[in-house]
């Protein structure tokens, strides 16, 4: 069974910028990025003591090390069974006081997973943890478990080695002036998977930072080992639900992680109004094809790899975005610009626009005109509407040709090869053609917040109509509650007899529409949370701390 310490409380968390650390209210600039280290009196299975030690004068320490995670390589046939050690980049790391759980300093790991910290060692002991939060140049993300109704972060923690040499204080390690620590989660630990997700998102931040403006926004990736969602993995406009089920594990599938991130990118920095729905590569509504194709294409651009892999237990979906020979990936239904089209045709066009110029210009400059159109011209709701009503590939192509004329010849070749029924000669290059229709997509999912037996549904956008939610409460295999509640606003409160032993499924519907989303909260099954861990508090969130693996 997991070992849990007493709950900890401390002041609200603060994120430093890379190259800075906050220590006792001051910002200390450093050339190397910072993590944290820890010492504690050990009890039982490795949990630190929360006893308050006698007062003593804090002493200055220099702490440094690396965060190392274990990745699982894959290819066109799925995961190959191998594992490789890699730096954990972009993760928030914290120096934590043992006595009360207060965070004394914070920093961010660099591109090598390295960290370094100068600070005052508390007399009562301290320890290190690397938390499943990304604090990037442009992006702020966290990987959390919400199955209990509370957002719980994952972390790996370690204590500094015992002091070398004899004599001195019983707690001589507290006064060691130079301490070296490696944070290395066990390969099968949920902390390793969560920090791998953070590392993958760091790649998105590194790629996009020179290309996009700052936004005051953050996003949670909701994931738990062994937990599946009806949508597989999906962006809900409030969060990303990332599949962790045995039959569809996405925590090590970089292609899928970045695909879902790209939906968030589109929502915050660009625009799409996809109606949602099933998509497996066949021609679909051009708005859906644009939304999904953009996500797949941007994922490939961030990775610098046209291979797109979706690993399942039963099969693997694999597409080489640079070729795509099947007939369904060419043209549109009816040969019209507004006709149904494959999302992979969209992804292919985006990849080719990027890859064909990457060798000459470099990745950043090859991506710049694409990201420019996505983040400027497509966000202007007064601009033209071509092809299908709403944002689609034709709108993007028209804006790209008009804003970046040097791309015309290459784009013409790409569209001709794909048999797409729109030519660069068709570009309007007009400031306004007509107001875009159907331009506001309703949110398709919602967030559940639990307070005792009350569950509150929160939508990121306001609805313009009433809607129904079906509430199903289950205890084991038995359904103990099944009813429909009418909601009249984006915030809807549902009173149930929900308890810690119950699972709750809430499905939203509109009259005449398919269900627009399902969210689930329920008990944690310890067997799915491999490894010994303890739980601490960190502001409004909990932290599930896993012990760092021994040095290898």
């Amino acid at each position: 069974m997991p070992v849990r310490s007493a709950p900890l409380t401390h002041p609200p968390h603060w994120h430093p910028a890379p190259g800075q650390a906050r220590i006792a209210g001051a910002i200390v600039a450093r050339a190397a990025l910072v993590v944290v280290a820890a010492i504690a009196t050990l009890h039982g299975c490795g949990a630190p003591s929360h006893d308050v030690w006698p007062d003593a004068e804090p002493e200055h320490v220099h702490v440094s090390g690396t965060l190392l995670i274990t990745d699982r390589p894959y290819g066109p046939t799925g995961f190959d069974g191998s594992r490789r050690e890699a730096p954990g980049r972009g993760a928030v790391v914290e120096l934590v006081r043992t006595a009360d759980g207060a965070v004394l300093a914070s920093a961010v790991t660099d591109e090598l997973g390295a960290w370094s910290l100068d600070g005052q060692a508390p007399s009562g002991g301290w320890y290190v943890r690397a938390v499943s939060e990304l604090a990037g140049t442009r992006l702020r993300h966290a990987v959390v478990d919400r199955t209990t109704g509370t957002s719980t972060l994952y972390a790996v923690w370690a204590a500094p080695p015992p002091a070398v040499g004899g004599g001195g204080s019983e707690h001589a390690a507290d006064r060691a002036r130079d301490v070296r620590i490696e944070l290395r989660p066990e390969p099968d630990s949920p902390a390793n998977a969560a920090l791998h997700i953070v590392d993958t998102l760091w790649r998105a931040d590194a790629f996009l930072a020179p290309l996009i403006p700052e936004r005051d926004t953050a996003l949670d990736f909701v994931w738990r080992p062994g937990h599946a969602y009806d949508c597989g993995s999906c962006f809900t406009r409030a969060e990303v639900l990332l599949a962790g089920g045995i039959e569809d594990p996405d925590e090590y599938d970089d292609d899928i992680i970045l695909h879902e991130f790209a939906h968030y990118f589109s929502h915050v920095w660009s625009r799409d109004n996809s109606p949602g729905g099933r998509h497996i590569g066949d021609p679909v509504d051009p708005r859906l094809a644009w939304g999904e194709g953009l996500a797949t294409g941007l994922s490939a651009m961030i990775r610098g790899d046209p291979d797109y892999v979706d690993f399942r237990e039963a099969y693997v979906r694999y597409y080489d975005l640079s070729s795509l020979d099947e007939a369904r990936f060419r043209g549109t239904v009816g040969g019209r610009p507004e006709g149904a089209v494959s999302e992979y045709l969209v992804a292919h066009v985006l990849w080719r626009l990027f890859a064909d110029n990457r060798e000459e210009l470099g990745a950043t400059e090859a991506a710049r005109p694409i990201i420019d159109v996505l983040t400027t011209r497509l966000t202007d709701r007064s601009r033209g509407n071509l092809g299908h009503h709403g944002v689609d590939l034709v709108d993007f192509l028209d804006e790209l040709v008009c804003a970046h004329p040097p791309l015309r010849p290459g784009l013409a070749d790409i569209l001709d090869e794909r048999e797409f029924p729109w030519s660069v000669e068709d570009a309007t290059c007009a400031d306004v053609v007509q107001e875009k229709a159907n331009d506001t997509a309703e949110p398709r999912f919602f967030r559940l917040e639990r307070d005792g037996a009350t569950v509150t549904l929160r939508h990121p956008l306001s609805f313009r109509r009433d809607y129904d939610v079906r509430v199903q409460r289950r205890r084991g295999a038995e359904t103990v509650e099944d009813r429909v509640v009418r909601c009249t606003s984006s915030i809807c409160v549902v009173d149930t007899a929900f308890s810690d032993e119950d699972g709750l499924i809430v499905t939203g519907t509109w009259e005449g529409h398919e269900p627009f989303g399902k969210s689930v909260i329920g008990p944690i099954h310890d067997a799915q949370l491999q490894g010994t861990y303890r739980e601490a508090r960190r502001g409004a969130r909990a932290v599930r701390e896993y012990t760092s693996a021994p040095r290898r």
Side-chain angles (χ1 to χ4, degrees), residues 443-471:
R444 288 171 278 131
F445 295 86
F446 43 83
R447 177 179 299 179
L448 299 183
E449 297 176 1
R450 177 192 170 197
D451 181 10
T454 299
V455 175
T456 301
L457 318 182
R458 293 184 182 272
H459 292 270
L461 300 175
S462 297
F463 279 174
R464 295 190 298 271
R465 69 194 82 179
D466 295 349
Y467 60 99
D468 293 328
V469 292
R470 182 182 180 188
V471 179

PDB file of all heavy atoms in Angstrom, residues 443-471:
ATOM      1  N   PRO A 443     -18.382  24.798 -26.477  1.00  0.00           N
ATOM      2  CA  PRO A 443     -17.507  23.835 -25.814  1.00  0.00           C
ATOM      3  C   PRO A 443     -18.188  22.481 -25.726  1.00  0.00           C
ATOM      4  O   PRO A 443     -19.382  22.391 -25.456  1.00  0.00           O
ATOM      5  CB  PRO A 443     -17.312  24.448 -24.415  1.00  0.00           C
ATOM      6  CG  PRO A 443     -18.480  25.348 -24.225  1.00  0.00           C
ATOM      7  CD  PRO A 443     -18.844  25.865 -25.579  1.00  0.00           C
ATOM      8  N   ARG A 444     -17.414  21.428 -25.956  1.00  0.00           N
ATOM      9  CA  ARG A 444     -18.009  20.105 -26.024  1.00  0.00           C
ATOM     10  C   ARG A 444     -17.812  19.287 -24.744  1.00  0.00           C
ATOM     11  O   ARG A 444     -18.314  18.185 -24.634  1.00  0.00           O
ATOM     12  CB  ARG A 444     -17.419  19.353 -27.224  1.00  0.00           C
ATOM     13  CG  ARG A 444     -17.916  19.876 -28.551  1.00  0.00           C
ATOM     14  CD  ARG A 444     -17.169  19.268 -29.705  1.00  0.00           C
ATOM     15  NE  ARG A 444     -15.915  19.961 -29.929  1.00  0.00           N
ATOM     16  CZ  ARG A 444     -14.759  19.344 -30.074  1.00  0.00           C
ATOM     17  NH1 ARG A 444     -14.693  18.058 -29.993  1.00  0.00           N
ATOM     18  NH2 ARG A 444     -13.653  20.034 -30.298  1.00  0.00           N
ATOM     19  N   PHE A 445     -17.045  19.805 -23.805  1.00  0.00           N
ATOM     20  CA  PHE A 445     -16.817  19.095 -22.561  1.00  0.00           C
ATOM     21  C   PHE A 445     -16.887  20.086 -21.413  1.00  0.00           C
ATOM     22  O   PHE A 445     -17.021  21.280 -21.620  1.00  0.00           O
ATOM     23  CB  PHE A 445     -15.449  18.393 -22.572  1.00  0.00           C
ATOM     24  CG  PHE A 445     -15.360  17.316 -23.608  1.00  0.00           C
ATOM     25  CD1 PHE A 445     -14.989  17.630 -24.903  1.00  0.00           C
ATOM     26  CD2 PHE A 445     -15.647  16.014 -23.290  1.00  0.00           C
ATOM     27  CE1 PHE A 445     -14.906  16.651 -25.864  1.00  0.00           C
ATOM     28  CE2 PHE A 445     -15.566  15.027 -24.248  1.00  0.00           C
ATOM     29  CZ  PHE A 445     -15.196  15.337 -25.537  1.00  0.00           C
ATOM     30  N   PHE A 446     -16.761  19.590 -20.205  1.00  0.00           N
ATOM     31  CA  PHE A 446     -16.842  20.481 -19.069  1.00  0.00           C
ATOM     32  C   PHE A 446     -15.996  19.929 -17.938  1.00  0.00           C
ATOM     33  O   PHE A 446     -15.586  18.771 -17.946  1.00  0.00           O
ATOM     34  CB  PHE A 446     -18.282  20.650 -18.595  1.00  0.00           C
ATOM     35  CG  PHE A 446     -19.065  19.375 -18.556  1.00  0.00           C
ATOM     36  CD1 PHE A 446     -18.977  18.515 -17.479  1.00  0.00           C
ATOM     37  CD2 PHE A 446     -19.894  19.020 -19.614  1.00  0.00           C
ATOM     38  CE1 PHE A 446     -19.692  17.340 -17.445  1.00  0.00           C
ATOM     39  CE2 PHE A 446     -20.616  17.846 -19.592  1.00  0.00           C
ATOM     40  CZ  PHE A 446     -20.516  17.002 -18.503  1.00  0.00           C
ATOM     41  N   ARG A 447     -15.734  20.788 -16.990  1.00  0.00           N
ATOM     42  CA  ARG A 447     -14.921  20.409 -15.833  1.00  0.00           C
ATOM     43  C   ARG A 447     -15.833  20.129 -14.655  1.00  0.00           C
ATOM     44  O   ARG A 447     -16.801  20.849 -14.421  1.00  0.00           O
ATOM     45  CB  ARG A 447     -13.947  21.536 -15.501  1.00  0.00           C
ATOM     46  CG  ARG A 447     -13.097  21.266 -14.266  1.00  0.00           C
ATOM     47  CD  ARG A 447     -12.141  22.420 -14.021  1.00  0.00           C
ATOM     48  NE  ARG A 447     -11.231  22.589 -15.137  1.00  0.00           N
ATOM     49  CZ  ARG A 447     -10.303  23.546 -15.191  1.00  0.00           C
ATOM     50  NH1 ARG A 447     -10.198  24.402 -14.198  1.00  0.00           N
ATOM     51  NH2 ARG A 447      -9.517  23.645 -16.236  1.00  0.00           N
ATOM     52  N   LEU A 448     -15.517  19.082 -13.907  1.00  0.00           N
ATOM     53  CA  LEU A 448     -16.255  18.758 -12.699  1.00  0.00           C
ATOM     54  C   LEU A 448     -15.453  19.193 -11.485  1.00  0.00           C
ATOM     55  O   LEU A 448     -14.250  18.941 -11.404  1.00  0.00           O
ATOM     56  CB  LEU A 448     -16.503  17.245 -12.603  1.00  0.00           C
ATOM     57  CG  LEU A 448     -17.332  16.589 -13.720  1.00  0.00           C
ATOM     58  CD1 LEU A 448     -17.536  15.119 -13.411  1.00  0.00           C
ATOM     59  CD2 LEU A 448     -18.676  17.272 -13.863  1.00  0.00           C
ATOM     60  N   GLU A 449     -16.116  19.848 -10.540  1.00  0.00           N
ATOM     61  CA  GLU A 449     -15.487  20.214  -9.280  1.00  0.00           C
ATOM     62  C   GLU A 449     -16.358  19.674  -8.158  1.00  0.00           C
ATOM     63  O   GLU A 449     -17.566  19.910  -8.126  1.00  0.00           O
ATOM     64  CB  GLU A 449     -15.349  21.729  -9.166  1.00  0.00           C
ATOM     65  CG  GLU A 449     -14.442  22.321 -10.243  1.00  0.00           C
ATOM     66  CD  GLU A 449     -14.402  23.824 -10.167  1.00  0.00           C
ATOM     67  OE1 GLU A 449     -15.069  24.393  -9.273  1.00  0.00           O
ATOM     68  OE2 GLU A 449     -13.707  24.439 -10.995  1.00  0.00           O
ATOM     69  N   ARG A 450     -15.742  18.958  -7.240  1.00  0.00           N
ATOM     70  CA  ARG A 450     -16.510  18.319  -6.171  1.00  0.00           C
ATOM     71  C   ARG A 450     -16.255  19.010  -4.844  1.00  0.00           C
ATOM     72  O   ARG A 450     -15.122  19.335  -4.501  1.00  0.00           O
ATOM     73  CB  ARG A 450     -16.102  16.848  -6.061  1.00  0.00           C
ATOM     74  CG  ARG A 450     -16.804  16.134  -4.911  1.00  0.00           C
ATOM     75  CD  ARG A 450     -16.193  14.774  -4.627  1.00  0.00           C
ATOM     76  NE  ARG A 450     -16.715  14.220  -3.398  1.00  0.00           N
ATOM     77  CZ  ARG A 450     -16.157  13.230  -2.730  1.00  0.00           C
ATOM     78  NH1 ARG A 450     -15.058  12.677  -3.191  1.00  0.00           N
ATOM     79  NH2 ARG A 450     -16.683  12.780  -1.609  1.00  0.00           N
ATOM     80  N   ASP A 451     -17.315  19.257  -4.107  1.00  0.00           N
ATOM     81  CA  ASP A 451     -17.226  19.771  -2.747  1.00  0.00           C
ATOM     82  C   ASP A 451     -18.185  18.944  -1.907  1.00  0.00           C
ATOM     83  O   ASP A 451     -19.391  19.214  -1.849  1.00  0.00           O
ATOM     84  CB  ASP A 451     -17.577  21.257  -2.701  1.00  0.00           C
ATOM     85  CG  ASP A 451     -17.464  21.831  -1.294  1.00  0.00           C
ATOM     86  OD1 ASP A 451     -16.934  21.117  -0.415  1.00  0.00           O
ATOM     87  OD2 ASP A 451     -17.891  22.975  -1.068  1.00  0.00           O
ATOM     88  N   GLY A 452     -17.647  17.914  -1.258  1.00  0.00           N
ATOM     89  CA  GLY A 452     -18.499  17.003  -0.511  1.00  0.00           C
ATOM     90  C   GLY A 452     -19.431  16.256  -1.449  1.00  0.00           C
ATOM     91  O   GLY A 452     -19.005  15.618  -2.400  1.00  0.00           O
ATOM     92  N   ALA A 453     -20.739  16.346  -1.205  1.00  0.00           N
ATOM     93  CA  ALA A 453     -21.719  15.658  -2.045  1.00  0.00           C
ATOM     94  C   ALA A 453     -22.215  16.524  -3.192  1.00  0.00           C
ATOM     95  O   ALA A 453     -23.065  16.103  -3.961  1.00  0.00           O
ATOM     96  CB  ALA A 453     -22.911  15.217  -1.194  1.00  0.00           C
ATOM     97  N   THR A 454     -21.679  17.738  -3.327  1.00  0.00           N
ATOM     98  CA  THR A 454     -22.098  18.644  -4.390  1.00  0.00           C
ATOM     99  C   THR A 454     -21.081  18.635  -5.516  1.00  0.00           C
ATOM    100  O   THR A 454     -19.881  18.727  -5.278  1.00  0.00           O
ATOM    101  CB  THR A 454     -22.254  20.080  -3.853  1.00  0.00           C
ATOM    102  OG1 THR A 454     -23.247  20.092  -2.838  1.00  0.00           O
ATOM    103  CG2 THR A 454     -22.665  21.036  -4.968  1.00  0.00           C
ATOM    104  N   VAL A 455     -21.564  18.516  -6.736  1.00  0.00           N
ATOM    105  CA  VAL A 455     -20.700  18.538  -7.910  1.00  0.00           C
ATOM    106  C   VAL A 455     -21.089  19.742  -8.760  1.00  0.00           C
ATOM    107  O   VAL A 455     -22.260  19.943  -9.076  1.00  0.00           O
ATOM    108  CB  VAL A 455     -20.837  17.237  -8.732  1.00  0.00           C
ATOM    109  CG1 VAL A 455     -20.020  17.335 -10.015  1.00  0.00           C
ATOM    110  CG2 VAL A 455     -20.372  16.047  -7.898  1.00  0.00           C
ATOM    111  N   THR A 456     -20.121  20.563  -9.112  1.00  0.00           N
ATOM    112  CA  THR A 456     -20.353  21.738  -9.945  1.00  0.00           C
ATOM    113  C   THR A 456     -19.760  21.510 -11.327  1.00  0.00           C
ATOM    114  O   THR A 456     -18.599  21.103 -11.450  1.00  0.00           O
ATOM    115  CB  THR A 456     -19.729  22.995  -9.322  1.00  0.00           C
ATOM    116  OG1 THR A 456     -20.297  23.197  -8.020  1.00  0.00           O
ATOM    117  CG2 THR A 456     -20.000  24.220 -10.187  1.00  0.00           C
ATOM    118  N   LEU A 457     -20.553  21.751 -12.373  1.00  0.00           N
ATOM    119  CA  LEU A 457     -20.083  21.654 -13.748  1.00  0.00           C
ATOM    120  C   LEU A 457     -19.708  23.060 -14.201  1.00  0.00           C
ATOM    121  O   LEU A 457     -20.476  24.000 -14.046  1.00  0.00           O
ATOM    122  CB  LEU A 457     -21.184  21.113 -14.666  1.00  0.00           C
ATOM    123  CG  LEU A 457     -22.046  19.956 -14.147  1.00  0.00           C
ATOM    124  CD1 LEU A 457     -23.037  19.546 -15.221  1.00  0.00           C
ATOM    125  CD2 LEU A 457     -21.179  18.794 -13.749  1.00  0.00           C
ATOM    126  N   ARG A 458     -18.511  23.184 -14.777  1.00  0.00           N
ATOM    127  CA  ARG A 458     -18.067  24.493 -15.255  1.00  0.00           C
ATOM    128  C   ARG A 458     -17.641  24.379 -16.713  1.00  0.00           C
ATOM    129  O   ARG A 458     -16.818  23.551 -17.067  1.00  0.00           O
ATOM    130  CB  ARG A 458     -16.900  25.015 -14.427  1.00  0.00           C
ATOM    131  CG  ARG A 458     -17.271  25.350 -12.987  1.00  0.00           C
ATOM    132  CD  ARG A 458     -16.092  25.958 -12.243  1.00  0.00           C
ATOM    133  NE  ARG A 458     -16.428  26.240 -10.865  1.00  0.00           N
ATOM    134  CZ  ARG A 458     -16.980  27.375 -10.443  1.00  0.00           C
ATOM    135  NH1 ARG A 458     -17.240  28.326 -11.317  1.00  0.00           N
ATOM    136  NH2 ARG A 458     -17.262  27.554  -9.179  1.00  0.00           N
ATOM    137  N   HIS A 459     -18.214  25.236 -17.542  1.00  0.00           N
ATOM    138  CA  HIS A 459     -17.846  25.307 -18.955  1.00  0.00           C
ATOM    139  C   HIS A 459     -16.918  26.491 -19.163  1.00  0.00           C
ATOM    140  O   HIS A 459     -17.114  27.547 -18.566  1.00  0.00           O
ATOM    141  CB  HIS A 459     -19.078  25.468 -19.840  1.00  0.00           C
ATOM    142  CG  HIS A 459     -19.954  24.268 -19.859  1.00  0.00           C
ATOM    143  ND1 HIS A 459     -19.793  23.266 -20.765  1.00  0.00           N
ATOM    144  CD2 HIS A 459     -20.963  23.897 -19.046  1.00  0.00           C
ATOM    145  CE1 HIS A 459     -20.694  22.323 -20.527  1.00  0.00           C
ATOM    146  NE2 HIS A 459     -21.416  22.687 -19.497  1.00  0.00           N
ATOM    147  N   PRO A 460     -15.909  26.366 -20.034  1.00  0.00           N
ATOM    148  CA  PRO A 460     -15.005  27.486 -20.278  1.00  0.00           C
ATOM    149  C   PRO A 460     -15.653  28.641 -21.029  1.00  0.00           C
ATOM    150  O   PRO A 460     -15.180  29.752 -20.974  1.00  0.00           O
ATOM    151  CB  PRO A 460     -13.880  26.854 -21.109  1.00  0.00           C
ATOM    152  CG  PRO A 460     -14.529  25.687 -21.781  1.00  0.00           C
ATOM    153  CD  PRO A 460     -15.543  25.176 -20.802  1.00  0.00           C
ATOM    154  N   LEU A 461     -16.724  28.371 -21.753  1.00  0.00           N
ATOM    155  CA  LEU A 461     -17.442  29.420 -22.479  1.00  0.00           C
ATOM    156  C   LEU A 461     -18.905  29.386 -22.083  1.00  0.00           C
ATOM    157  O   LEU A 461     -19.437  28.349 -21.697  1.00  0.00           O
ATOM    158  CB  LEU A 461     -17.314  29.204 -23.996  1.00  0.00           C
ATOM    159  CG  LEU A 461     -15.904  29.219 -24.561  1.00  0.00           C
ATOM    160  CD1 LEU A 461     -15.937  28.873 -26.042  1.00  0.00           C
ATOM    161  CD2 LEU A 461     -15.245  30.568 -24.355  1.00  0.00           C
ATOM    162  N   SER A 462     -19.583  30.498 -22.201  1.00  0.00           N
ATOM    163  CA  SER A 462     -21.001  30.554 -21.844  1.00  0.00           C
ATOM    164  C   SER A 462     -21.860  29.918 -22.937  1.00  0.00           C
ATOM    165  O   SER A 462     -21.594  30.064 -24.124  1.00  0.00           O
ATOM    166  CB  SER A 462     -21.432  32.014 -21.639  1.00  0.00           C
ATOM    167  OG  SER A 462     -20.728  32.585 -20.576  1.00  0.00           O
ATOM    168  N   PHE A 463     -22.884  29.213 -22.506  1.00  0.00           N
ATOM    169  CA  PHE A 463     -23.853  28.664 -23.446  1.00  0.00           C
ATOM    170  C   PHE A 463     -24.922  29.713 -23.753  1.00  0.00           C
ATOM    171  O   PHE A 463     -25.213  30.576 -22.935  1.00  0.00           O
ATOM    172  CB  PHE A 463     -24.540  27.434 -22.851  1.00  0.00           C
ATOM    173  CG  PHE A 463     -23.736  26.181 -22.955  1.00  0.00           C
ATOM    174  CD1 PHE A 463     -24.173  25.029 -22.349  1.00  0.00           C
ATOM    175  CD2 PHE A 463     -22.541  26.153 -23.651  1.00  0.00           C
ATOM    176  CE1 PHE A 463     -23.441  23.866 -22.442  1.00  0.00           C
ATOM    177  CE2 PHE A 463     -21.801  25.000 -23.759  1.00  0.00           C
ATOM    178  CZ  PHE A 463     -22.249  23.851 -23.147  1.00  0.00           C
ATOM    179  N   ARG A 464     -25.485  29.606 -24.919  1.00  0.00           N
ATOM    180  CA  ARG A 464     -26.596  30.496 -25.286  1.00  0.00           C
ATOM    181  C   ARG A 464     -27.923  29.740 -25.240  1.00  0.00           C
ATOM    182  O   ARG A 464     -28.908  30.189 -25.769  1.00  0.00           O
ATOM    183  CB  ARG A 464     -26.354  31.070 -26.678  1.00  0.00           C
ATOM    184  CG  ARG A 464     -25.151  31.966 -26.756  1.00  0.00           C
ATOM    185  CD  ARG A 464     -25.111  32.701 -28.082  1.00  0.00           C
ATOM    186  NE  ARG A 464     -24.996  31.789 -29.202  1.00  0.00           N
ATOM    187  CZ  ARG A 464     -23.820  31.372 -29.679  1.00  0.00           C
ATOM    188  NH1 ARG A 464     -22.699  31.750 -29.101  1.00  0.00           N
ATOM    189  NH2 ARG A 464     -23.772  30.554 -30.716  1.00  0.00           N
ATOM    190  N   ARG A 465     -27.912  28.585 -24.621  1.00  0.00           N
ATOM    191  CA  ARG A 465     -29.124  27.774 -24.561  1.00  0.00           C
ATOM    192  C   ARG A 465     -29.070  26.895 -23.312  1.00  0.00           C
ATOM    193  O   ARG A 465     -28.016  26.695 -22.725  1.00  0.00           O
ATOM    194  CB  ARG A 465     -29.238  26.897 -25.795  1.00  0.00           C
ATOM    195  CG  ARG A 465     -28.194  25.793 -25.862  1.00  0.00           C
ATOM    196  CD  ARG A 465     -28.099  25.155 -27.222  1.00  0.00           C
ATOM    197  NE  ARG A 465     -27.276  25.959 -28.095  1.00  0.00           N
ATOM    198  CZ  ARG A 465     -26.988  25.633 -29.351  1.00  0.00           C
ATOM    199  NH1 ARG A 465     -27.484  24.535 -29.860  1.00  0.00           N
ATOM    200  NH2 ARG A 465     -26.213  26.387 -30.085  1.00  0.00           N
ATOM    201  N   ASP A 466     -30.229  26.393 -22.905  1.00  0.00           N
ATOM    202  CA  ASP A 466     -30.257  25.427 -21.815  1.00  0.00           C
ATOM    203  C   ASP A 466     -29.738  24.087 -22.311  1.00  0.00           C
ATOM    204  O   ASP A 466     -29.742  23.800 -23.510  1.00  0.00           O
ATOM    205  CB  ASP A 466     -31.688  25.262 -21.297  1.00  0.00           C
ATOM    206  CG  ASP A 466     -32.228  26.533 -20.674  1.00  0.00           C
ATOM    207  OD1 ASP A 466     -31.431  27.467 -20.456  1.00  0.00           O
ATOM    208  OD2 ASP A 466     -33.444  26.598 -20.420  1.00  0.00           O
ATOM    209  N   TYR A 467     -29.303  23.261 -21.388  1.00  0.00           N
ATOM    210  CA  TYR A 467     -28.844  21.931 -21.759  1.00  0.00           C
ATOM    211  C   TYR A 467     -29.112  20.974 -20.599  1.00  0.00           C
ATOM    212  O   TYR A 467     -29.391  21.393 -19.476  1.00  0.00           O
ATOM    213  CB  TYR A 467     -27.351  21.944 -22.115  1.00  0.00           C
ATOM    214  CG  TYR A 467     -26.443  22.401 -20.984  1.00  0.00           C
ATOM    215  CD1 TYR A 467     -25.774  21.487 -20.182  1.00  0.00           C
ATOM    216  CD2 TYR A 467     -26.265  23.760 -20.722  1.00  0.00           C
ATOM    217  CE1 TYR A 467     -24.941  21.912 -19.158  1.00  0.00           C
ATOM    218  CE2 TYR A 467     -25.428  24.188 -19.703  1.00  0.00           C
ATOM    219  CZ  TYR A 467     -24.768  23.256 -18.924  1.00  0.00           C
ATOM    220  OH  TYR A 467     -23.957  23.671 -17.909  1.00  0.00           O
ATOM    221  N   ASP A 468     -29.088  19.704 -20.901  1.00  0.00           N
ATOM    222  CA  ASP A 468     -29.340  18.671 -19.900  1.00  0.00           C
ATOM    223  C   ASP A 468     -28.057  17.923 -19.584  1.00  0.00           C
ATOM    224  O   ASP A 468     -27.192  17.742 -20.440  1.00  0.00           O
ATOM    225  CB  ASP A 468     -30.380  17.663 -20.411  1.00  0.00           C
ATOM    226  CG  ASP A 468     -31.757  18.285 -20.580  1.00  0.00           C
ATOM    227  OD1 ASP A 468     -32.083  19.194 -19.797  1.00  0.00           O
ATOM    228  OD2 ASP A 468     -32.490  17.873 -21.500  1.00  0.00           O
ATOM    229  N   VAL A 469     -27.942  17.476 -18.343  1.00  0.00           N
ATOM    230  CA  VAL A 469     -26.846  16.587 -17.974  1.00  0.00           C
ATOM    231  C   VAL A 469     -27.432  15.334 -17.332  1.00  0.00           C
ATOM    232  O   VAL A 469     -28.355  15.402 -16.517  1.00  0.00           O
ATOM    233  CB  VAL A 469     -25.836  17.252 -17.017  1.00  0.00           C
ATOM    234  CG1 VAL A 469     -25.077  18.350 -17.704  1.00  0.00           C
ATOM    235  CG2 VAL A 469     -26.524  17.781 -15.771  1.00  0.00           C
ATOM    236  N   ARG A 470     -26.927  14.203 -17.759  1.00  0.00           N
ATOM    237  CA  ARG A 470     -27.321  12.937 -17.150  1.00  0.00           C
ATOM    238  C   ARG A 470     -26.292  12.585 -16.088  1.00  0.00           C
ATOM    239  O   ARG A 470     -25.092  12.529 -16.355  1.00  0.00           O
ATOM    240  CB  ARG A 470     -27.374  11.829 -18.197  1.00  0.00           C
ATOM    241  CG  ARG A 470     -27.821  10.482 -17.640  1.00  0.00           C
ATOM    242  CD  ARG A 470     -27.799   9.409 -18.707  1.00  0.00           C
ATOM    243  NE  ARG A 470     -28.229   8.115 -18.185  1.00  0.00           N
ATOM    244  CZ  ARG A 470     -28.154   6.976 -18.860  1.00  0.00           C
ATOM    245  NH1 ARG A 470     -27.687   6.974 -20.106  1.00  0.00           N
ATOM    246  NH2 ARG A 470     -28.563   5.850 -18.315  1.00  0.00           N
ATOM    247  N   VAL A 471     -26.756  12.364 -14.862  1.00  0.00           N
ATOM    248  CA  VAL A 471     -25.893  12.064 -13.730  1.00  0.00           C
ATOM    249  C   VAL A 471     -26.056  10.595 -13.376  1.00  0.00           C
ATOM    250  O   VAL A 471     -27.155  10.143 -13.032  1.00  0.00           O
ATOM    251  CB  VAL A 471     -26.249  12.940 -12.514  1.00  0.00           C
ATOM    252  CG1 VAL A 471     -25.355  12.611 -11.337  1.00  0.00           C
ATOM    253  CG2 VAL A 471     -26.155  14.409 -12.872  1.00  0.00           C
TER     254      VAL A 471
END
